[in-house]
């Protein structure tokens, strides 16, 4: 069955290192979202794309975060340099122009 | 602001009904959603309601919408231990940006 996949599922890294998280949206979905979830802040929208074009990345710290969609089957979220406060679970979700979002299993990032 | 607000915790006994409440802010929101998150997993869409509807029923789930008060509720009938999870209310604003609440953690006691 069709699912959103994310890699890696877990990542432990030292502060200052680059982190790249990948997402494969459901085939045929034209909208991709990146979220960050922490106990303190809950679920935060970082960025989203429609037809591979960024529509809104206002939730993302621009100095260290970047999000791209090199093609329709791959979305990436990079953090460079990473900091301990970036520790969180990062979710990718995909959907159609309007309607429900389908979430991936998440990448649990720990920055020491 | 653009906050979606929910109570943080709800505890019910197995077999009882659960009612999870939510208030949203954007009166022009066209879709409102309920998602469920189980431990270690992503959010899963449970149900949604279009803003011109007052109620939607889907098996054990009933969604009620009061547009005047911007209040949304999710009722789970005959709550089971497998319903224990975090439930998120979400509103879809202009530009298809979705705003999520902080989530309500539902505890079901056997």
């Amino acid at each position: 069955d069709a699912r959103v996949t994310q890699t890696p599922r877990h990542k432990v890294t030292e502060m200052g290192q680059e982190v790249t998280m990948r997402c494969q949206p459901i085939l045929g979905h034209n909208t991709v979202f990146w979220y960050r979830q922490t106990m303190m802040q809950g679920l935060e929208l970082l960025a989203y794309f429609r037809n591979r074009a960024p529509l809104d990345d206002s939730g993302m710290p621009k100095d260290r975060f970047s999000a791209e969609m090199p093609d329709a089957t791959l979305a990436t979220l990079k953090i460079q340099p990473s900091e301990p406060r970036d520790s969180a679970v990062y979710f990718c979700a995909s959907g159609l122009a309007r309607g429900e979002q389908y979430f991936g299993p998440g990448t649990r990032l720990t920055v020491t | 602001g653009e906050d979606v607000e929910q109570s943080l915790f709800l505890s019910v006994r197995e077999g009882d009904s659960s009612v999870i409440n939510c208030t949203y802010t954007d009166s022009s929101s066209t879709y409102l959603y309920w998602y469920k998150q189980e431990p270690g997993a992503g959010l899963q869409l449970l149900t949604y309601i279009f803003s011109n509807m007052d109620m939607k029923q889907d098996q054990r789930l009933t969604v009620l919408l009061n547009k005047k008060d911007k209040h949304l509720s999710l009722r789970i009938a005959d709550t089971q231990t497998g319903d224990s999870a975090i439930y998120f209310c979400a509103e879809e604003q202009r530009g298809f940006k979705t705003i999520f609440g902080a989530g309500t953690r539902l505890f079901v006691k056997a």
Side-chain angles (χ1 to χ4, degrees):
Chain A
D1 61 327
R3 296 186 187 191
V4 175
T5 58
Q6 289 186 248
T7 56
R9 292 294 313 276
H10 302 272
K11 176 73 176 179
V12 180
T13 191
E14 293 182 347
M15 71 177 287
Q17 297 298 305
E18 177 179 300
V19 175
T20 299
M21 290 170 271
R22 294 178 173 80
C23 167
Q24 181 172 16
I26 292 173
L27 189 65
H29 283 185
N30 63 353
T31 308
V32 174
F33 304 81
W34 282 106
Y35 293 91
R36 175 171 63 184
Q37 186 177 39
T38 61
M39 288 293 290
M40 294 299 294
Q41 299 295 328
L43 196 66
E44 301 173 276
L45 176 66
L46 297 175
Y48 72 103
F49 295 77
R50 172 83 29 80
N51 297 321
R52 294 177 55 203
L55 283 194
D56 187 342
D57 61 1
S58 58
M60 207 164 64
K62 303 287 191 309
D63 56 337
R64 298 183 300 107
F65 285 61
S66 62
E68 296 179 344
M69 279 201 74
D71 61 60
T73 64
L74 176 65
T76 62
L77 180 66
K78 290 186 182 179
I79 308 174
Q80 168 62 14
S82 57
E83 297 180 2
R85 60 181 166 147
D86 300 329
S87 297
V89 181
Y90 290 81
F91 288 106
C92 172
S94 72
L96 295 170
R98 151 151 289 144
E100 56 265 38
Q101 298 177 28
Y102 294 82
F103 280 72
T107 294
R108 183 175 294 276
L109 174 65
T110 303
V111 184
T112 60
Chain B
E2 54 175 34
D3 287 346
V4 173
E5 296 190 353
Q6 306 176 234
S7 53
L8 293 182
F9 299 99
L10 176 66
S11 180
V12 300
R13 291 189 185 278
E14 191 174 22
D16 289 349
S17 291
S18 307
V19 179
I20 303 171
N21 294 302
C22 166
T23 56
Y24 60 97
T25 56
D26 189 349
S27 58
S28 65
S29 292
T30 50
Y31 284 90
L32 296 132
Y33 302 92
W34 284 104
Y35 285 82
K36 176 184 181 182
Q37 185 180 30
E38 296 180 341
L43 279 68
Q44 173 193 4
L45 179 72
L46 275 182
T47 187
Y48 64 93
I49 189 166
F50 190 55
S51 59
N52 69 352
M53 299 169 65
D54 297 325
M55 185 182 87
K56 180 179 180 181
Q57 186 150 3
D58 183 0
Q59 299 183 336
R60 292 191 297 123
L61 305 178
T62 303
V63 179
L64 295 178
L65 174 60
N66 181 329
K67 278 197 74 174
K68 175 175 168 290
D69 295 336
K70 299 193 192 69
H71 183 265
L72 184 73
S73 69
L74 174 69
R75 178 177 180 269
I76 306 172
D78 187 25
T79 312
Q80 303 297 308
T81 55
D83 295 324
S84 293
I86 303 175
Y87 291 82
F88 291 88
C89 168
E91 64 168 336
E92 185 178 290
Q93 297 182 341
R94 287 194 182 90
F96 311 125
K97 181 177 180 179
T98 304
I99 306 298
F100 286 82
T104 299
R105 189 177 292 272
L106 175 64
F107 296 95
V108 182
K109 295 175 286 190

